[in-house]
Amino acid sequence: MPQPLKQQLKSQLKPQKLSDIILAQLENMIIEGSLLPGEKLLPERELAVQFEVSRPSLREAIQKLEVKGLVIRKQGGGTFVSKTIMKSFSDPLFGLMANNNESQFDLLEFRHGIEGMASYYAAMRGTSADFEHIQAKYEHIGNCQLEDDYSLEAQAVYEFYLAICAASHNALILHTARSMSAVLIDNIEQNLTVLTKRPDIFNKITDYRKNLLDAITSGQPKKAWGASHRHLAFIEEVLLKLTQENSRMERSMRRM
């Protein structure tokens, strides 16, 4: 016999457990990037004060996170956000792609999409705090260039784009960019290694990046998308030309 409507409504209106409310808040913090993979959670006592809840309820919520594989506990060391949340993005396949010339162009095309969208939404949704963070990361690139270290500069460029992804307030864009950090940094470093040998090209790239920064921080989404596209299209065009030049040189050497 079907359950009476009044009884159904009563069961549906059951108050949500406090631990489930805390669980949802912690999950949101992981989704939005407030808690990063590998990051240590605050001690239970401090978290309980932060959420204004009892420690037993908080402990129950953390146990549920652990069951879901979102956190791990280390005996005497605390609780950490799992590093394997985006495990599929660290497949050996990505290591192969990093060393394949054609895949480098595939990665540039991928960056067209993700960086273009991130720039558009960052300009649309970014807060003043977001813009300050992006500005600081942009200035950090200049500081790294003084070190004449492509690896260091590539890391700084990636962090600049990651700040733009965070300002987009789109969790999927942010986590995709973050989970592919190794392969993206490698792509940027390989591009820098080639492009910085040509000062005229290097200066143009700096100008393109500055135009992107200005479009985002002035809140112009379409202009930001366009600036991102022009920046990456320029890099792609130059790399294609250099690849063709190298190919011609190799053929000439073989003939000789």
Side-chain angles (χ1 to χ4, degrees):
M1 237 183 118
Q3 202 178 26
L5 181 60
K6 189 175 180 182
Q7 196 173 338
Q8 287 181 38
L9 290 171
K10 189 175 179 183
S11 63
Q12 288 171 7
L13 294 173
K14 234 194 230 182
Q16 194 176 8
K17 283 188 72 175
L18 183 56
S19 62
D20 288 333
I21 295 171
I22 301 167
L23 172 68
Q25 290 182 359
L26 288 169
E27 286 177 337
N28 282 336
M29 290 173 73
I30 293 172
I31 289 170
E32 69 185 15
S34 301
L35 287 173
L36 303 176
E39 184 174 343
K40 184 178 180 180
L41 270 62
L42 290 172
E44 280 186 6
R45 182 181 65 259
E46 293 179 39
L47 271 178
V49 172
Q50 183 177 312
F51 286 112
E52 297 181 347
V53 295
S54 66
R55 288 178 70 176
S57 294
L58 176 70
R59 193 171 299 123
E60 187 179 345
I62 292 175
Q63 285 170 350
K64 290 176 180 179
L65 276 180
E66 188 176 15
V67 170
K68 288 186 174 189
L70 294 170
V71 299
I72 55 171
R73 296 191 190 199
K74 295 182 180 178
Q75 191 66 35
T79 304
F80 298 79
V81 179
S82 174
K83 290 182 180 179
T84 60
I85 290 175
M86 300 292 280
K87 190 177 180 181
S88 61
F89 283 99
S90 60
D91 282 344
L93 174 62
F94 284 97
L96 293 175
M97 289 175 67
N99 297 311
N100 181 279
N101 288 333
E102 283 301 313
S103 294
Q104 292 301 308
F105 288 104
D106 290 342
L107 282 165
L108 268 173
E109 290 176 4
F110 170 79
R111 288 176 60 193
H112 267 289
I114 195 166
E115 289 175 21
M117 285 190 294
S119 300
Y120 180 89
Y121 289 117
M124 179 188 288
R125 301 170 179 162
T127 64
S128 56
D130 290 327
F131 295 156
E132 284 176 18
H133 184 54
I134 294 170
Q135 178 74 47
K137 292 299 180 182
Y138 173 81
E139 290 169 3
H140 182 56
I141 295 172
N143 294 333
C144 289
Q145 286 169 344
L146 299 174
E147 301 293 328
D148 199 24
D149 183 333
Y150 295 139
S151 178
L152 198 65
E153 186 179 345
Q155 178 71 40
V157 171
Y158 167 75
E159 288 176 3
F160 170 68
Y161 288 116
L162 194 64
I164 293 172
C165 290
S168 75
H169 295 277
N170 181 303
L172 191 56
I173 288 176
L174 175 61
H175 286 292
T176 301
R178 184 172 276 144
S179 64
M180 293 185 68
S181 60
V183 73
L184 290 174
I185 291 169
D186 184 78
N187 177 251
I188 294 167
E189 184 175 353
Q190 288 196 41
N191 295 342
L192 287 172
T193 304
V194 175
L195 298 172
T196 50
K197 292 174 184 176
R198 303 272 295 270
D200 55 325
I201 291 172
F202 179 73
N203 290 335
K204 283 183 181 177
I205 290 172
T206 302
D207 291 340
Y208 278 120
R209 198 178 289 135
K210 181 67 166 67
N211 292 339
L212 174 60
L213 172 71
D214 292 342
I216 291 172
T217 54
S218 61
Q220 300 181 72
K222 289 183 180 178
K223 191 174 177 182
W225 186 303
S228 175
H229 173 74
R230 284 188 292 275
H231 175 216
L232 292 169
F234 175 72
I235 293 173
E236 190 171 9
E237 183 184 350
V238 171
L239 289 175
L240 279 169
K241 284 180 181 176
L242 291 174
T243 301
Q244 289 166 358
E245 286 173 13
N246 290 336
S247 180
R248 282 195 294 271
M249 287 176 65
E250 285 172 7
R251 285 200 300 272
S252 297
M253 292 295 289
R254 282 199 297 271
R255 290 192 193 101
M256 290 171 65

